[in-house]
Amino acid sequence: MRLIATGLTFRYPGGDHDVLTGLECDIPSGTTAAIVGPSGSGKTTLVSILGGLLRPQSGTIRCIDDSGEAFETGDVGTWVLQTVSLLPDRTVLDNVCLGAYLDGASPDEARARARKALDDMGLADREDEAARVLSGGESQRVAIARALASDRPVLFADEPSGQLDAATTSRVMDAMLANARRTVVLVTHDEDAASRCEMVLRLSNGRLSPERGAGHAKARVKAPA
Amino acid sequence: MTTRRVWAIALCVREGLANARAGRWLSLGIVVSVAWLTAGIGIANALDVQSLVTGERAWIDAGGYTFVVEFPSSNDVRTPLDAATCDGLSGVDGIDASFAVAMRNATLEPASAPGTVASAFSVSPGVFQFLGVKPVIGAAVILTQGANDRTGLVDGERTAFTSRPYDDTTVSEREFATVVTADTTMLGEQHQGSYLIPGLLSLGADACYVRTDAAHVDAVEGYLAGALGQGANAAVVRPRLSANTYGVDFATAYQDRVLQWSWLAGGLVLAAIWAIIQWMRRARMAIYATFGAPPRARLAMQVTEWVVLGGMGAAWGWGIGIAFSLGLGAEAAIALGQVTGQILALWFVASLAALLIGLLPVGTLLDTLKDRT
């Protein structure tokens, strides 16, 4: 699934400056793209707009599959959020199943996919526990497992390794980047994690600039005015 | 053209059910709140209506919805009413029973109870229907309250009565008659302790008693003056009881009940509780929205959860309401009608509110998830 953003401008209500200013990018289908930048540069805002969680004041986002059919990003994307995004009353297994349900999986199929994803995240023995009893790192791994259990073609991940140790981060990145057909947009401060992506884009002053892989991945970045 | 993927309704319902089940203590709290709120409102209404019905029955038994018709007296001379016309009024639509009464210038005393002399009144045959007693063929004496206690005579007993005129110029008469005992409270104090002698009142009557019901009371009151009047001489129609313990008629008291609107208040209370819960759990809906659940899918989840929890609570509340209402003295029909009606109305209001709450936007999803709101 190819992601094309054109002329994105965004300012938070009551804010005194644009977080994004005429931003453009093109992330080809199946590409893993890391968005890096200093704290407060608008990385989370950008990925939220790309994923349909926020609406920009101007600009468009198109999500096009290999046959040229366009989709809403909210319908084709799955998420790993920076904040805890689990249903606290539900079991770990229920939370992960939600990822598979989005693809129309039957309950049996969803449970099978969820168990495999939990196994990949080292949480197979926690499936019956309520999500609210998990630690921050465990919750993050469950959120990642939920994304892995989904077959949606785009994965938006906002600081997925923020609460994980180095060993676990490596394991999580392996799992997240394993699906060669999935487009991954990764927001991270972790240079090692970013280095594993095919494309690295730096966000600064509301605009994206290519750091690596833009040519290979055909990302086009609008030059500053 | 953009292709939209839809959330299957089955998935929404399944998630709503799972959320209801996973809520544990909160879900239980919602069920219990709904149950006791609905039960309390149902019980309060059942007992309120029962109190009105009981009061109205007591009022009717004391003579409510009964009119006394007579001609105004002039120099202690009163124009007699036609007793046959009065008696025949029971055939008129809206009139339950009627009878005519005339004071006899004599006292009566049962032979078996010397010293129990009391006034005697002649009454037309309609008195049997009016008092709800079985008509007696042949001579009869109806013992009113007081006379019954004083004489010790029992219903159906045949005994001799001695009649003595007030002016004492004529000879006393002694005649056998069948004793009929009846509750004559509705006739008023003036007849308590006296003897009523059914028969034809060929010389006319002093008054005509007419009983109707709440639905016909106004129409009957308007009808009676003309029906029993004689040409230009209109009869005076007055209620047997001018007021009751409520100060208003019972139909009005029923219509003006404050508690009849308690379903609305209860529904709004439940709606407020539900709104607070949904606001506290707004991040949950934001998570679903993050995964592409459109507003109608989130609405379906919330409504499913409400239907399960609210439905269980209402059903439980109905059972509690019926049981407590019956236990506290409400009649079955009143308990069933009031509890069921109030709970259904309350639940409808709360469900409508739950629907509207589900339609509220969840706000900026990123803000919600980060608790920036």
Side-chain angles (χ1 to χ4, degrees), chain A residues 10-116:
Chain A
F10 183 83
R11 175 183 294 201
Y12 280 102
D16 59 359
H17 69 283
D18 288 342
V19 180
L20 305 179
T21 307
L23 183 146
E24 299 195 3
C25 72
D26 183 348
I27 301 172
S29 181
T31 301
T32 56
I35 298 173
V36 298
S39 294
S41 60
K43 300 188 297 298
T44 295
T45 301
L46 173 58
V47 78
S48 298
I49 290 173
L50 291 175
L53 299 189
L54 287 176
R55 287 190 182 281
Q57 275 85 34
S58 64
T60 58
I61 300 156
R62 285 182 295 155
C63 203
I64 302 166
D65 71 5
D66 294 341
S67 67
E69 189 176 5
F71 295 88
E72 293 280 340
T73 49
D75 290 341
V76 294
T78 186
W79 281 88
V80 178
L81 293 157
Q82 186 178 6
T83 52
V84 172
S85 59
L86 303 181
L87 301 169
D89 295 333
R90 305 286 292 278
T91 64
V92 167
L93 186 65
D94 278 354
N95 271 280
V96 180
C97 280
L98 184 61
Y101 288 146
L102 302 177
D103 308 324
S106 68
D108 285 343
E109 183 188 349
R111 277 191 289 272
R113 279 203 234 165
R115 288 193 170 110
K116 181 180 181 310

Side-chain angles (χ1 to χ4, degrees), chain A residues 12 44 48 53-54 69-72 74-75 78-79 81 83 85-87 89-90 101-102 107 146 152, chain B residues 1-5 7 11 14-15 18-19 22-24 284 287-288 290-292 364-366 369-370 372:
Chain A
Y12 280 102
T44 295
S48 298
L53 299 189
L54 287 176
E69 189 176 5
F71 295 88
E72 293 280 340
D75 290 341
T78 186
W79 281 88
L81 293 157
T83 52
S85 59
L86 303 181
L87 301 169
D89 295 333
R90 305 286 292 278
Y101 288 146
L102 302 177
R146 179 176 57 195
R152 288 193 167 192
Chain B
M1 179 161 172
T2 301
T3 302
R4 296 270 0 212
R5 292 190 176 170
W7 269 55
L11 173 59
R14 203 161 58 218
E15 285 298 301
N19 285 331
R24 294 194 188 187
R284 188 172 71 181
I287 289 168
Y288 284 112
T290 305
F291 289 94
T364 304
L365 301 174
L366 188 65
L369 290 169
K370 286 192 164 189
R372 285 180 181 173

Side-chain angles (χ1 to χ4, degrees), chain B:
Chain B
M1 179 161 172
T2 301
T3 302
R4 296 270 0 212
R5 292 190 176 170
V6 295
W7 269 55
I9 189 69
L11 173 59
C12 300
V13 170
R14 203 161 58 218
E15 285 298 301
L17 291 173
N19 285 331
R21 194 171 54 243
R24 294 194 188 187
W25 292 110
L26 182 60
S27 295
L28 182 63
I30 293 169
V31 172
V32 170
S33 300
V34 173
W36 283 101
L37 188 68
T38 53
I41 284 171
I43 293 166
N45 274 275
L47 296 182
D48 188 37
V49 171
Q50 182 64 56
S51 168
L52 275 176
V53 169
T54 303
E56 185 176 26
R57 282 187 189 142
W59 186 63
I60 291 170
D61 289 344
Y65 302 132
T66 296
F67 290 108
V68 179
V69 188
E70 54 197 0
F71 284 113
S73 62
S74 174
N75 298 324
D76 283 341
V77 176
R78 193 186 292 273
T79 305
L81 287 161
D82 183 58
T85 303
C86 173
D87 226 37
L89 288 173
S90 59
V92 175
D93 184 38
I95 294 179
D96 178 42
S98 63
F99 75 98
V101 59
M103 188 169 184
R104 284 192 169 195
N105 289 320
T107 59
L108 206 64
E109 181 182 30
S112 60
T116 57
V117 177
S119 301
F121 291 85
S122 294
V123 290
S124 62
V127 73
F128 291 110
Q129 183 184 349
F130 197 96
L131 296 177
V133 295
K134 191 177 176 183
V136 172
I137 303 210
V141 173
I142 299 171
L143 271 60
T144 65
Q145 298 283 305
N148 186 21
D149 301 336
R150 220 167 48 239
T151 61
L153 294 172
V154 296
D155 192 59
E157 184 177 350
R158 189 160 177 79
T159 189
F161 287 86
T162 303
S163 174
R164 291 192 183 85
Y166 284 139
D167 56 14
D168 215 16
T169 56
T170 52
V171 182
S172 301
E173 294 177 10
R174 187 182 173 88
E175 189 179 350
F176 276 89
T178 302
V179 170
V180 176
T181 60
D183 180 0
T184 57
T185 311
M186 67 182 70
L187 301 183
E189 291 181 357
Q190 69 202 74
H191 291 296
Q192 300 308 305
S194 62
Y195 299 104
L196 305 181
I197 305 166
L200 298 175
L201 280 66
S202 55
L203 298 178
D206 299 330
C208 179
Y209 280 74
V210 180
R211 188 172 64 223
T212 180
D213 54 41
H216 297 92
V217 65
D218 292 334
V220 168
E221 184 175 18
Y223 168 77
L224 288 176
L228 290 168
Q230 295 170 4
N233 192 13
V236 176
V237 181
R238 63 178 173 82
R240 226 293 286 155
L241 295 177
S242 56
N244 59 62
T245 53
Y246 290 84
V248 292
D249 68 274
F250 286 93
T252 303
Y254 182 81
Q255 287 171 356
D256 292 348
R257 285 188 321 113
V258 174
L259 283 176
Q260 70 180 311
W261 301 107
S262 50
W263 57 269
L264 183 58
L268 293 176
V269 168
L270 285 187
I273 292 172
W274 187 250
I276 290 169
I277 290 170
Q278 293 309 318
W279 185 81
M280 291 171 65
R281 299 197 301 190
R282 65 194 183 285
R284 188 172 71 181
M285 283 300 122
I287 289 168
Y288 284 112
T290 305
F291 289 94
R296 65 175 174 278
R298 302 197 297 269
L299 175 67
M301 282 182 226
Q302 286 191 30
V303 168
T304 299
E305 190 174 5
W306 164 256
V307 167
V308 171
L309 300 179
M312 286 171 63
W316 187 15
W318 183 85
I320 295 171
I322 294 290
F324 272 69
S325 296
L326 293 175
L328 292 171
E331 295 168 21
I334 292 173
L336 197 63
Q338 289 299 316
V339 173
T340 305
Q342 288 286 331
I343 289 179
L344 280 178
L346 187 158
W347 203 78
F348 176 77
V349 168
S351 297
L352 186 64
L355 192 70
L356 295 174
I357 290 165
L359 289 171
L360 292 175
V362 294
T364 304
L365 301 174
L366 188 65
D367 286 349
T368 306
L369 290 169
K370 286 192 164 189
D371 280 330
R372 285 180 181 173
T373 50

Side-chain angles (χ1 to χ4, degrees), chain A residues 57-211:
Chain A
Q57 275 85 34
S58 64
T60 58
I61 300 156
R62 285 182 295 155
C63 203
I64 302 166
D65 71 5
D66 294 341
S67 67
E69 189 176 5
F71 295 88
E72 293 280 340
T73 49
D75 290 341
V76 294
T78 186
W79 281 88
V80 178
L81 293 157
Q82 186 178 6
T83 52
V84 172
S85 59
L86 303 181
L87 301 169
D89 295 333
R90 305 286 292 278
T91 64
V92 167
L93 186 65
D94 278 354
N95 271 280
V96 180
C97 280
L98 184 61
Y101 288 146
L102 302 177
D103 308 324
S106 68
D108 285 343
E109 183 188 349
R111 277 191 289 272
R113 279 203 234 165
R115 288 193 170 110
K116 181 180 181 310
L118 281 172
D119 192 40
D120 289 344
M121 290 294 107
L123 292 168
D125 57 340
R126 310 294 298 273
E127 67 173 49
D128 291 329
E129 293 185 33
R132 64 174 173 273
V133 306
L134 301 177
S135 68
E138 288 170 332
S139 296
Q140 196 71 344
R141 281 149 67 198
V142 171
I144 294 164
R146 179 176 57 195
L148 297 179
S150 169
D151 279 341
R152 288 193 167 192
V154 184
L155 169 61
F156 299 99
D158 186 7
E159 301 284 7
S161 58
Q163 301 185 64
L164 307 179
D165 58 45
T168 308
T169 297
S170 176
R171 181 177 182 177
V172 163
M173 290 303 296
D174 287 344
M176 282 179 30
L177 304 178
N179 185 343
R181 296 188 59 202
R182 178 179 273 177
T183 305
V184 178
V185 180
L186 172 70
V187 168
T188 184
H189 277 107
D190 185 337
E191 295 294 334
D192 288 340
S195 68
R196 298 185 59 175
C197 295
E198 297 163 287
M199 176 192 285
V200 178
L201 303 169
R202 177 164 296 276
L203 181 63
S204 179
N205 297 321
R207 296 183 175 87
L208 274 180
S209 55
E211 269 201 1

